[in-house]
Each structure stands twice: as C-alpha cells, then as structure tokens.
C-alpha cells in the first residue's frame, strides 16, 4: 500500500461517506440495545399533543415515572399517598387494563378540574409488563388538595 497515495477526491468522499454510515449504524444498534434493556416504555402526551418518552421499571407508579422524567411535569406533591391529585392523568382505558379506582382515589377524582371517565391518579397505577408502549394523557392543569 502506498501511504502517500490519498486517492482521488471522489474516492475520499466515498470512503468518508461509507465510514460515516458505518459509525451511525453501529451507534443506532447500540442505542437500540441500550434502550431495549432499560425497562418498559411509556409515552406521556401533554394536552398540547407533545409526546414525551419515558422508561419505567415494573412496580413503579406512573407518578414515579413522571417525576423521574422532569420533562413530563408530574408534581406528585403528596409523594404518592393519594392526597393531592397533582399526578392526575388520563388513561387509554382498554390498553391499561387496571383495577377501578378505590374510594379514596375516587373521592379525589371527583374534585379534580378537567375530570374525564378515564381520569386516574398516577400514584395509584403500578406499571407492569402489559403497560409497555402505552400512552398516558396529561390534563391541561391540576389542583393540589394536599395543602388545603
């Protein structure tokens, strides 16, 4: 191999483009592998339609997942003891397949602004493998009953 020969400009451009594609493919493959081993994928959709991807571990609550991902904006003022409603979310019910709210949760849900039939408190929803890929809708606003 002649070390002084650099090749024609088109050869250099071809090998540069090829090496760039290889590096991107390897990074994408490693990124997919890394993401796929992080747990369960949950999508939070704001009332403006913005989607925020979050990763969850089985057994976490939706509130914990939302608080861990600061871009989601779930406050969880009471720390998950079902007393504030700042983790109010809307579930796409058939996909979530969760038990109905208990009386304590239902009492709070009856007071929240923007209540819907699929309203739930994120602190009461435990994540499991069947929730992987599901979407959670966030209400336009929440009210904190913990400090009242």
């Amino acid at each position: 191999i002649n070390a002084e020969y650099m090749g024609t400009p088109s050869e250099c451009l071809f090998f540069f483009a090829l090496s760039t594609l290889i590096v991107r493919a390897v990074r994408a493959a490693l990124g997919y592998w890394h993401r796929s081993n992080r747990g369960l994928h949950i999508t939070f959709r704001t009332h403006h339609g913005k989607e925020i991807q979050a990763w969850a571990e089985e057994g976490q609550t939706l509130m914990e997942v939302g608080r861990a991902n600061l871009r989601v904006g779930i406050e969880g003022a009471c720390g998950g003891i079902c007393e504030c409603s700042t983790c109010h979310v809307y579930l796409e019910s058939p996909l979530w397949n969760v038990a109905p709210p208990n009386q304590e949760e239902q009492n709070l849900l009856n007071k929240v602004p923007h209540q819907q039939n699929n309203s739930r408190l994120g602190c009461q929803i435990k994540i499991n493998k069947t929730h992987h890929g599901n979407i959670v809708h966030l209400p336009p606003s929440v009210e904190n009953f913990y400090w009242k």
Side-chain angles (χ1 to χ4, degrees):
I1 297 177
N2 184 352
E4 294 177 12
Y5 178 71
M6 298 273 305
T8 65
S10 60
E11 289 174 331
C12 290
L13 184 59
F14 170 77
F15 286 111
F16 174 75
L18 181 63
S19 63
T20 301
L21 286 174
I22 291 170
V23 167
R24 287 184 180 171
V26 168
R27 284 182 179 163
L30 290 174
Y32 174 79
W33 175 82
H34 179 69
R35 287 189 304 273
S36 66
N37 287 317
R38 288 176 66 183
L40 307 169
H41 170 250
I42 305 292
T43 300
F44 290 86
R45 185 176 293 152
T46 69
H47 69 283
H48 296 297
K50 179 182 176 186
E51 290 191 353
I52 302 164
Q53 311 299 319
W55 295 96
E57 297 296 326
E58 194 165 1
Q60 281 185 304
T61 64
L62 279 177
M63 181 208 69
E64 291 168 335
V65 175
R67 286 177 75 180
N69 188 328
L70 298 178
R71 296 179 308 144
V72 172
I74 291 182
E75 181 182 355
C78 71
I81 58 174
C82 197
E83 290 190 6
C84 70
S85 85
T86 59
C87 61
H88 177 214
V89 296
Y90 307 128
L91 302 182
E92 291 181 358
S93 298
L95 297 175
W96 280 92
N97 192 25
V98 293
N102 62 28
Q103 190 60 47
E104 184 180 21
E105 180 182 2
Q106 191 59 57
N107 289 342
L108 267 178
L109 288 172
N110 290 337
K111 300 177 192 176
V112 299
H114 315 291
Q115 184 194 21
Q116 298 179 2
N117 291 337
N118 59 345
S119 287
R120 292 300 299 268
L121 297 181
C123 65
Q124 301 300 300
I125 307 296
K126 292 249 187 222
I127 304 292
N128 65 47
K129 290 179 184 177
T130 64
H131 300 145
H132 179 70
N134 285 0
I135 297 174
V136 179
H137 297 270
L138 301 173
S141 65
V142 296
E143 189 169 340
N144 187 351
F145 296 108
Y146 191 60
W147 304 111
K148 290 187 175 188

